[in-house]
Structures are given as C-alpha cells and as structure tokens.
Amino acid sequence: MTLPLDHYVPKRRVPVVLWSDELKGFQGQIFLDLDGPGHRHQTVIERLNERTRFLPVAVGEAGQIHLVNKGKLARVTPGPNVISTDVLARGFGPAREELAEVRLIDGAVLHGRLWMPLQRDTQRVSDFLNMQGGSFFPLLTPTTIHMVNASMVLLVKLAECAGAPLGAEGDTHAVEWGPPG
Amino acid sequence: MYYVPKRRVPVVVWMDSRRMWRGHLFLDQRGGGQHCQTLVEKLNENLPFIPLAVGEGDTIELIHKPFVFRVTPGAGAERTEMFTRDARLSRQEGVEVVFRDGSTLMGTLWMALTHESQRVSDFLNDQVDRFFPLIAGAAVHLINASSVMRVRVLQPSPPVPMAPGGEGHDPLGGAVGS
C-alpha cells in the first residue's frame, strides 16, 4: 500500500521582534516562503501583508508555535543579523522616501524615512497611508527597518509644510490650497 | 501641477480627554452652486488619515481618524462650516456622552430624522465610524461614534417638528432644518 506524501511548503526562518500594547519586544522567528512570487524569496513585509489574520511565530529554543493576531501588532522589527533585502524588496519601480515622525497607539514615537512605492508622481504620504488599511509599511531608521501597522498609527508628522503658492499677482489672500501631506 | 482649492478651518482634535492637537483642517471649496464642504462632511469622508496643519510653520500631521474622540471647531470657525442643517425633519435631545476612556460630555445631540419615530439609538446605530454633532453651550463638538462607550438620554424626547422645513428650536440661535 502506498501512503500519500505530505506536501511541505519550503520555508526559512527569520528572527523578528514584535511590538504592541501587550507584546513589548516579543522575540521569535517567522517563516518565509522560499518559492515566493516572482521567483525570489519572500520578504518579511510581504509575509506580514498576506491576507491571513494569524501569523505563526516560533518562540524559544524548542520553537514552540505562537499564532499572533497581526491586526493587534503595532510594528515588527527584524532581529539581529537579518539583512535588509530579507525585510523589504524595493525593486526597480518608482518609489519615494519621506522624512516622518510616526506616533503609534502603544506610545512609541519613531523617526525615520517612510518608504512608499509610487502609483503616480504626485502621490502624497496621505494618499499612500489612506490606501494601506491594515497593511504594514516600512519606516527606515539608521539602525533598523520598522514595519509599521498602518491601523495602529495615531498620527504621522511630516517634514514638509502646507505652503500656499502665491497667486498670479502675488496675492496671498486669493485662495488657500490643498495640503501637500 | 493640479491643486484642489481649499479653505482652512481652525479646530482642536482630541485623541482622548487629555491629548489634543490644535491646527487647521482643509475643506473643499465647491463651485457650481454647491455649498462648501463642512467639517462633518470632511470627517465623514471614507479616508482614514486626515491632514492637519499645525504650528506657525504649518507642519502637516496626518491624523488617524479611528483614534480621534472628537473634533471641536476653534475660534473663528463659522457655524456653516461645522455641519449643514438642511434636513426636512430634525430633533434635538439632551444627552450625556461617555467616551472609551471614561470621560464625559453633556450637550444637545442634533439629528436629522429619516423617519418621524426615529430614536437616539436609531440615529447612533446609523453612525458607525462616523462623526456627529453635539452642541454644548456655544460650542459644537463633532463626536466620533466609534469612540463612544455609551450615551445617556437626559430628558424625554420632545415632539417631532412637523412644520414644513422641519423648523425647531436651535440651541445656537438659528433656524434648524431650514
């Protein structure tokens, strides 16, 4: 009698640190697909932005599996020795970085460069954030890449200002203009 | 570059009973006989992040609306910039609003009626993830329904204004529903 073969999806483990109101620096390893789309390895942010609600995390030396509700996480940071290309694949498409201060609902305040792929040249940070729903977006700091849960953001302070362009006659009272944010 | 003409309205944005941000929200200037956008309309747009200009340099902060408790128009904001009262039927109810953090606010809840027998509970159950006006003295607060833990009705409902145009008493001194 021939037994059916189990089907295993090849994975590799990447250490991460989870942050939320309840999980302060919770360390574990997540599993990334080795046969991701586009014939390249899956990245941490792609894993986080999968549609599944619960994220399997291996914890401790025994690798006990914890299923973490991604929607409750404020942010995820890569563990030590994780290379940036395992975290985020920037690709060759148009993208922009904006300096931002991100204040999270768990009280954390992060300063860094918000990286966003561009769907159009005039895309603002507000346009990008308003498309995120419950997705994670990258915030690059000198020491790490924070993957921030957009739904856990309290506010984002931008470096740019709401400067109003002058009218044709230099009339500053002619009209107020939309914010750049 | 295409710019959408906007006008600025001073507001105070309360993230809970203690943390607040002062700044200006940007309302659309509409043409073609349409009324200008109001704060309630702006807050009830289907976009979770809303730009707020703060400080003398007009730094932009993107406020995540689901975490806002209430927005209070600041000094200089016009009544017509807060919310429209063009409902045919309307009613006010004295209520106490209790927020998620336990803080409270008393005032008059102004609600446009979709039917004559509409109760406060019917109105609030239609406000999921929306902002509604609460009039407290001379101030108007725009309350995020999702930040409300409970609402206590302080007095029995007055009769529904049945006159054409839904005219009734306006706590701010104007004609309601006109």
Side-chain angles (χ1 to χ4, degrees), chain B residues 91-136:
Chain B
R91 192 167 67 213
Q92 295 110 42
E93 299 265 9
V95 296
E96 179 187 57
V97 175
V98 182
F99 292 94
R100 280 200 305 259
D101 68 349
S103 61
T104 61
L105 199 60
M106 291 174 69
T108 302
L109 190 156
W110 184 90
M111 54 183 180
L113 300 183
T114 55
H115 56 277
E116 293 176 11
S117 58
Q118 180 177 296
R119 302 162 297 183
V120 173
S121 60
D122 299 323
F123 174 75
L124 291 174
N125 282 326
D126 282 338
Q127 302 299 310
V128 178
D129 296 333
R130 290 175 63 84
F131 288 75
F132 63 86
L134 184 78
I135 301 158

Short mmCIF file of all heavy atoms in Angstrom, two decimals, chain B residues 91-136:
data_model
loop_
_atom_site.label_atom_id
_atom_site.label_comp_id
_atom_site.label_asym_id
_atom_site.label_seq_id
_atom_site.Cartn_x
_atom_site.Cartn_y
_atom_site.Cartn_z
N ARG B 91 -34.42 66.78 15.09
CA ARG B 91 -34.77 66.82 16.52
C ARG B 91 -33.50 66.95 17.33
O ARG B 91 -32.43 66.49 16.90
CB ARG B 91 -35.54 65.57 16.91
CG ARG B 91 -36.17 65.70 18.29
CD ARG B 91 -37.17 64.60 18.57
NE ARG B 91 -36.55 63.29 18.67
CZ ARG B 91 -37.14 62.17 18.29
NH1 ARG B 91 -38.34 62.20 17.75
NH2 ARG B 91 -36.52 61.02 18.43
N GLN B 92 -33.63 67.57 18.51
CA GLN B 92 -32.51 67.64 19.43
C GLN B 92 -32.85 66.87 20.70
O GLN B 92 -34.00 66.88 21.13
CB GLN B 92 -32.19 69.08 19.81
CG GLN B 92 -31.71 69.92 18.65
CD GLN B 92 -32.72 70.96 18.24
OE1 GLN B 92 -33.33 71.59 19.08
NE2 GLN B 92 -32.90 71.14 16.96
N GLU B 93 -31.85 66.25 21.26
CA GLU B 93 -32.04 65.50 22.51
C GLU B 93 -30.90 65.87 23.45
O GLU B 93 -29.73 65.89 23.04
CB GLU B 93 -31.97 63.99 22.25
CG GLU B 93 -33.02 63.47 21.30
CD GLU B 93 -34.23 62.92 22.02
OE1 GLU B 93 -34.34 63.11 23.25
OE2 GLU B 93 -35.07 62.30 21.34
N GLY B 94 -31.22 66.15 24.69
CA GLY B 94 -30.18 66.36 25.69
C GLY B 94 -29.57 65.02 26.08
O GLY B 94 -30.28 64.08 26.44
N VAL B 95 -28.26 64.91 25.96
CA VAL B 95 -27.60 63.63 26.23
C VAL B 95 -26.30 63.84 27.00
O VAL B 95 -25.74 64.94 27.01
CB VAL B 95 -27.27 62.86 24.92
CG1 VAL B 95 -28.54 62.49 24.16
CG2 VAL B 95 -26.32 63.66 24.05
N GLU B 96 -25.87 62.77 27.63
CA GLU B 96 -24.51 62.70 28.20
C GLU B 96 -23.77 61.61 27.43
O GLU B 96 -24.24 60.46 27.38
CB GLU B 96 -24.56 62.36 29.69
CG GLU B 96 -23.18 62.26 30.31
CD GLU B 96 -23.21 61.76 31.74
OE1 GLU B 96 -23.74 60.66 31.97
OE2 GLU B 96 -22.70 62.47 32.62
N VAL B 97 -22.64 61.99 26.85
CA VAL B 97 -21.84 61.05 26.09
C VAL B 97 -20.67 60.58 26.95
O VAL B 97 -19.95 61.41 27.53
CB VAL B 97 -21.30 61.70 24.79
CG1 VAL B 97 -20.36 60.76 24.05
CG2 VAL B 97 -22.46 62.12 23.89
N VAL B 98 -20.53 59.28 27.08
CA VAL B 98 -19.41 58.71 27.84
C VAL B 98 -18.44 58.07 26.84
O VAL B 98 -18.83 57.19 26.07
CB VAL B 98 -19.89 57.66 28.86
CG1 VAL B 98 -18.71 57.12 29.67
CG2 VAL B 98 -20.95 58.25 29.78
N PHE B 99 -17.20 58.53 26.87
CA PHE B 99 -16.20 58.05 25.92
C PHE B 99 -15.50 56.79 26.45
O PHE B 99 -15.64 56.43 27.61
CB PHE B 99 -15.17 59.14 25.64
CG PHE B 99 -15.73 60.31 24.89
CD1 PHE B 99 -16.20 61.43 25.56
CD2 PHE B 99 -15.83 60.29 23.51
CE1 PHE B 99 -16.73 62.51 24.89
CE2 PHE B 99 -16.36 61.36 22.82
CZ PHE B 99 -16.81 62.48 23.50
N ARG B 100 -14.69 56.20 25.55
CA ARG B 100 -13.99 54.95 25.89
C ARG B 100 -13.11 55.09 27.12
O ARG B 100 -12.92 54.14 27.87
CB ARG B 100 -13.10 54.52 24.72
CG ARG B 100 -13.80 53.81 23.59
CD ARG B 100 -12.77 53.03 22.78
NE ARG B 100 -11.70 53.87 22.31
CZ ARG B 100 -11.61 54.35 21.07
NH1 ARG B 100 -12.54 54.07 20.20
NH2 ARG B 100 -10.60 55.10 20.70
N ASP B 101 -12.53 56.28 27.33
CA ASP B 101 -11.62 56.47 28.46
C ASP B 101 -12.36 56.88 29.72
O ASP B 101 -11.73 57.21 30.73
CB ASP B 101 -10.52 57.47 28.12
CG ASP B 101 -11.06 58.88 27.95
OD1 ASP B 101 -12.30 59.05 27.90
OD2 ASP B 101 -10.25 59.83 27.86
N GLY B 102 -13.70 56.90 29.68
CA GLY B 102 -14.49 57.24 30.85
C GLY B 102 -14.84 58.70 30.95
O GLY B 102 -15.66 59.08 31.81
N SER B 103 -14.24 59.56 30.15
CA SER B 103 -14.58 60.98 30.18
C SER B 103 -15.98 61.19 29.62
O SER B 103 -16.50 60.36 28.86
CB SER B 103 -13.56 61.79 29.38
OG SER B 103 -13.54 61.39 28.04
N THR B 104 -16.60 62.30 30.03
CA THR B 104 -17.98 62.54 29.63
C THR B 104 -18.14 63.93 29.04
O THR B 104 -17.31 64.82 29.27
CB THR B 104 -18.94 62.42 30.83
OG1 THR B 104 -18.57 63.41 31.80
CG2 THR B 104 -18.88 61.05 31.46
N LEU B 105 -19.19 64.09 28.28
CA LEU B 105 -19.51 65.38 27.68
C LEU B 105 -21.03 65.46 27.61
O LEU B 105 -21.69 64.53 27.13
CB LEU B 105 -18.91 65.45 26.27
CG LEU B 105 -18.73 66.81 25.62
CD1 LEU B 105 -17.83 67.72 26.44
CD2 LEU B 105 -18.15 66.63 24.22
N MET B 106 -21.58 66.58 28.12
CA MET B 106 -23.03 66.76 28.06
C MET B 106 -23.36 67.81 27.01
O MET B 106 -22.63 68.77 26.82
CB MET B 106 -23.57 67.18 29.43
CG MET B 106 -23.48 66.08 30.47
SD MET B 106 -23.93 66.62 32.11
CE MET B 106 -25.68 66.89 31.89
N GLY B 107 -24.47 67.61 26.36
CA GLY B 107 -24.89 68.58 25.36
C GLY B 107 -26.16 68.16 24.68
O GLY B 107 -26.87 67.25 25.14
N THR B 108 -26.43 68.84 23.58
CA THR B 108 -27.64 68.56 22.81
C THR B 108 -27.24 67.87 21.51
O THR B 108 -26.42 68.40 20.75
CB THR B 108 -28.38 69.87 22.49
OG1 THR B 108 -28.68 70.52 23.73
CG2 THR B 108 -29.66 69.60 21.74
N LEU B 109 -27.79 66.71 21.32
CA LEU B 109 -27.49 65.94 20.11
C LEU B 109 -28.47 66.38 19.03
O LEU B 109 -29.69 66.31 19.23
CB LEU B 109 -27.64 64.46 20.42
CG LEU B 109 -27.15 63.44 19.40
CD1 LEU B 109 -26.84 62.13 20.11
CD2 LEU B 109 -28.17 63.19 18.32
N TRP B 110 -27.94 66.88 17.93
CA TRP B 110 -28.80 67.28 16.80
C TRP B 110 -28.82 66.17 15.79
O TRP B 110 -27.76 65.70 15.36
CB TRP B 110 -28.26 68.56 16.16
CG TRP B 110 -29.15 69.08 15.07
CD1 TRP B 110 -30.19 69.96 15.23
CD2 TRP B 110 -29.12 68.74 13.69
NE1 TRP B 110 -30.79 70.18 14.02
CE2 TRP B 110 -30.15 69.46 13.06
CE3 TRP B 110 -28.32 67.91 12.91
CZ2 TRP B 110 -30.41 69.36 11.69
CZ3 TRP B 110 -28.57 67.81 11.56
CH2 TRP B 110 -29.61 68.54 10.96
N MET B 111 -30.01 65.73 15.46
CA MET B 111 -30.06 64.63 14.48
C MET B 111 -31.11 64.90 13.43
O MET B 111 -32.24 65.31 13.72
CB MET B 111 -30.31 63.29 15.16
CG MET B 111 -31.50 63.21 16.07
SD MET B 111 -31.58 61.57 16.86
CE MET B 111 -33.06 61.78 17.85
N ALA B 112 -30.70 64.67 12.20
CA ALA B 112 -31.65 64.70 11.09
C ALA B 112 -32.46 63.41 11.16
O ALA B 112 -31.93 62.34 11.43
CB ALA B 112 -30.88 64.76 9.77
N LEU B 113 -33.77 63.56 10.96
CA LEU B 113 -34.64 62.38 11.09
C LEU B 113 -34.87 61.76 9.72
O LEU B 113 -35.21 62.44 8.76
CB LEU B 113 -35.98 62.79 11.69
CG LEU B 113 -35.95 63.41 13.09
CD1 LEU B 113 -37.37 63.70 13.57
CD2 LEU B 113 -35.25 62.49 14.08
N THR B 114 -34.70 60.45 9.68
CA THR B 114 -35.05 59.73 8.45
C THR B 114 -36.50 59.25 8.53
O THR B 114 -37.11 58.96 7.51
CB THR B 114 -34.12 58.52 8.25
OG1 THR B 114 -34.17 57.69 9.42
CG2 THR B 114 -32.68 58.98 8.02
N HIS B 115 -37.04 59.15 9.73
CA HIS B 115 -38.46 58.87 9.92
C HIS B 115 -38.88 59.50 11.25
O HIS B 115 -38.05 59.73 12.15
CB HIS B 115 -38.75 57.37 9.88
CG HIS B 115 -37.97 56.56 10.88
ND1 HIS B 115 -36.68 56.14 10.63
CD2 HIS B 115 -38.28 56.12 12.12
CE1 HIS B 115 -36.25 55.45 11.68
NE2 HIS B 115 -37.19 55.43 12.60
N GLU B 116 -40.19 59.77 11.37
CA GLU B 116 -40.67 60.58 12.50
C GLU B 116 -40.44 59.90 13.85
O GLU B 116 -40.27 60.57 14.86
CB GLU B 116 -42.16 60.89 12.31
CG GLU B 116 -42.40 61.81 11.12
CD GLU B 116 -43.88 62.03 10.87
OE1 GLU B 116 -44.68 61.64 11.73
OE2 GLU B 116 -44.20 62.58 9.81
N SER B 117 -40.47 58.58 13.86
CA SER B 117 -40.35 57.88 15.14
C SER B 117 -38.89 57.53 15.46
O SER B 117 -38.63 56.71 16.34
CB SER B 117 -41.20 56.61 15.12
OG SER B 117 -40.79 55.78 14.05
N GLN B 118 -37.95 58.15 14.76
CA GLN B 118 -36.54 57.82 14.96
C GLN B 118 -36.09 58.15 16.38
O GLN B 118 -36.33 59.25 16.89
CB GLN B 118 -35.68 58.61 13.97
CG GLN B 118 -34.19 58.34 14.10
CD GLN B 118 -33.40 59.08 13.05
OE1 GLN B 118 -33.53 58.82 11.86
NE2 GLN B 118 -32.60 60.03 13.47
N ARG B 119 -35.45 57.19 17.01
CA ARG B 119 -34.93 57.37 18.37
C ARG B 119 -33.43 57.70 18.32
O ARG B 119 -32.81 57.52 17.27
CB ARG B 119 -35.15 56.09 19.20
CG ARG B 119 -36.58 55.66 19.31
CD ARG B 119 -36.67 54.22 19.72
NE ARG B 119 -36.06 53.32 18.72
CZ ARG B 119 -36.06 52.00 18.81
NH1 ARG B 119 -36.60 51.40 19.85
NH2 ARG B 119 -35.50 51.26 17.87
N VAL B 120 -32.92 58.10 19.47
CA VAL B 120 -31.47 58.36 19.55
C VAL B 120 -30.70 57.09 19.20
O VAL B 120 -29.68 57.13 18.49
CB VAL B 120 -31.08 58.87 20.96
CG1 VAL B 120 -29.57 58.97 21.10
CG2 VAL B 120 -31.71 60.22 21.23
N SER B 121 -31.20 55.96 19.67
CA SER B 121 -30.50 54.70 19.38
C SER B 121 -30.48 54.41 17.88
O SER B 121 -29.48 53.93 17.34
CB SER B 121 -31.15 53.54 20.13
OG SER B 121 -32.49 53.38 19.74
N ASP B 122 -31.59 54.72 17.19
CA ASP B 122 -31.62 54.52 15.74
C ASP B 122 -30.57 55.40 15.07
O ASP B 122 -29.84 54.97 14.18
CB ASP B 122 -33.00 54.86 15.17
CG ASP B 122 -34.10 53.98 15.75
OD1 ASP B 122 -33.83 52.78 15.97
OD2 ASP B 122 -35.20 54.50 16.01
N PHE B 123 -30.53 56.66 15.52
CA PHE B 123 -29.57 57.60 14.95
C PHE B 123 -28.14 57.13 15.18
O PHE B 123 -27.33 57.06 14.25
CB PHE B 123 -29.78 58.99 15.57
CG PHE B 123 -28.76 60.01 15.16
CD1 PHE B 123 -28.80 60.59 13.90
CD2 PHE B 123 -27.74 60.38 16.02
CE1 PHE B 123 -27.85 61.53 13.52
CE2 PHE B 123 -26.79 61.32 15.65
CZ PHE B 123 -26.85 61.88 14.39
N LEU B 124 -27.84 56.76 16.43
CA LEU B 124 -26.46 56.35 16.75
C LEU B 124 -26.08 55.06 16.03
O LEU B 124 -24.94 54.88 15.62
CB LEU B 124 -26.31 56.18 18.26
CG LEU B 124 -26.36 57.47 19.07
CD1 LEU B 124 -26.34 57.17 20.56
CD2 LEU B 124 -25.20 58.40 18.71
N ASN B 125 -27.03 54.18 15.85
CA ASN B 125 -26.72 52.92 15.16
C ASN B 125 -26.46 53.13 13.67
O ASN B 125 -25.94 52.23 13.01
CB ASN B 125 -27.85 51.90 15.36
CG ASN B 125 -27.76 51.26 16.73
OD1 ASN B 125 -26.67 51.04 17.25
ND2 ASN B 125 -28.90 50.98 17.34
N ASP B 126 -26.84 54.30 13.17
CA ASP B 126 -26.51 54.64 11.77
C ASP B 126 -25.17 55.35 11.66
O ASP B 126 -24.73 55.69 10.56
CB ASP B 126 -27.59 55.56 11.18
CG ASP B 126 -28.83 54.78 10.80
OD1 ASP B 126 -28.72 53.55 10.60
OD2 ASP B 126 -29.91 55.40 10.72
N GLN B 127 -24.53 55.63 12.79
CA GLN B 127 -23.33 56.46 12.79
C GLN B 127 -22.03 55.66 12.87
O GLN B 127 -21.01 56.21 13.25
CB GLN B 127 -23.36 57.45 13.97
CG GLN B 127 -24.56 58.37 14.00
CD GLN B 127 -24.63 59.24 12.76
OE1 GLN B 127 -23.66 59.88 12.38
NE2 GLN B 127 -25.78 59.26 12.13
N VAL B 128 -22.07 54.40 12.52
CA VAL B 128 -20.87 53.56 12.67
C VAL B 128 -19.68 54.21 11.96
O VAL B 128 -19.76 54.55 10.77
CB VAL B 128 -21.13 52.16 12.09
CG1 VAL B 128 -19.88 51.30 12.20
CG2 VAL B 128 -22.29 51.51 12.80
N ASP B 129 -18.61 54.42 12.72
CA ASP B 129 -17.38 55.02 12.18
C ASP B 129 -17.63 56.41 11.60
O ASP B 129 -16.91 56.86 10.70
CB ASP B 129 -16.73 54.13 11.10
CG ASP B 129 -16.26 52.81 11.66
OD1 ASP B 129 -15.96 52.79 12.87
OD2 ASP B 129 -16.21 51.82 10.93
N ARG B 130 -18.61 57.12 12.12
CA ARG B 130 -18.90 58.46 11.62
C ARG B 130 -18.87 59.47 12.76
O ARG B 130 -18.92 59.11 13.94
CB ARG B 130 -20.29 58.50 10.95
CG ARG B 130 -20.34 57.75 9.64
CD ARG B 130 -21.76 57.71 9.09
NE ARG B 130 -22.28 59.03 8.76
CZ ARG B 130 -22.05 59.65 7.62
NH1 ARG B 130 -21.32 59.08 6.70
NH2 ARG B 130 -22.55 60.85 7.38
N PHE B 131 -18.79 60.74 12.39
CA PHE B 131 -18.81 61.83 13.36
C PHE B 131 -20.20 62.48 13.35
O PHE B 131 -20.80 62.63 12.29
CB PHE B 131 -17.75 62.88 13.00
CG PHE B 131 -16.34 62.43 13.25
CD1 PHE B 131 -15.71 61.52 12.41
CD2 PHE B 131 -15.63 62.91 14.35
CE1 PHE B 131 -14.41 61.11 12.64
CE2 PHE B 131 -14.32 62.50 14.59
CZ PHE B 131 -13.71 61.60 13.73
N PHE B 132 -20.68 62.85 14.54
CA PHE B 132 -21.98 63.51 14.63
C PHE B 132 -21.85 64.72 15.55
O PHE B 132 -20.99 64.74 16.44
CB PHE B 132 -23.06 62.53 15.12
CG PHE B 132 -22.82 62.00 16.51
CD1 PHE B 132 -23.25 62.70 17.64
CD2 PHE B 132 -22.17 60.80 16.70
CE1 PHE B 132 -23.04 62.20 18.91
CE2 PHE B 132 -21.94 60.30 17.98
CZ PHE B 132 -22.38 61.01 19.08
N PRO B 133 -22.70 65.73 15.36
CA PRO B 133 -22.55 66.96 16.15
C PRO B 133 -23.23 66.88 17.51
O PRO B 133 -24.33 66.35 17.64
CB PRO B 133 -23.23 68.02 15.27
CG PRO B 133 -24.17 67.27 14.41
CD PRO B 133 -23.66 65.87 14.27
N LEU B 134 -22.55 67.42 18.51
CA LEU B 134 -23.10 67.59 19.85
C LEU B 134 -22.90 69.05 20.22
O LEU B 134 -21.78 69.56 20.19
CB LEU B 134 -22.38 66.68 20.85
CG LEU B 134 -22.96 66.70 22.27
CD1 LEU B 134 -24.22 65.84 22.34
CD2 LEU B 134 -21.93 66.18 23.29
N ILE B 135 -24.00 69.72 20.57
CA ILE B 135 -23.94 71.16 20.86
C ILE B 135 -23.92 71.34 22.37
O ILE B 135 -24.82 70.89 23.08
CB ILE B 135 -25.16 71.86 20.24
CG1 ILE B 135 -25.16 71.63 18.72
CG2 ILE B 135 -25.14 73.35 20.54
CD1 ILE B 135 -26.52 71.80 18.09
N ALA B 136 -22.86 71.95 22.87
CA ALA B 136 -22.71 72.17 24.31
C ALA B 136 -22.52 73.66 24.54
O ALA B 136 -21.42 74.18 24.31
CB ALA B 136 -21.52 71.37 24.85
#
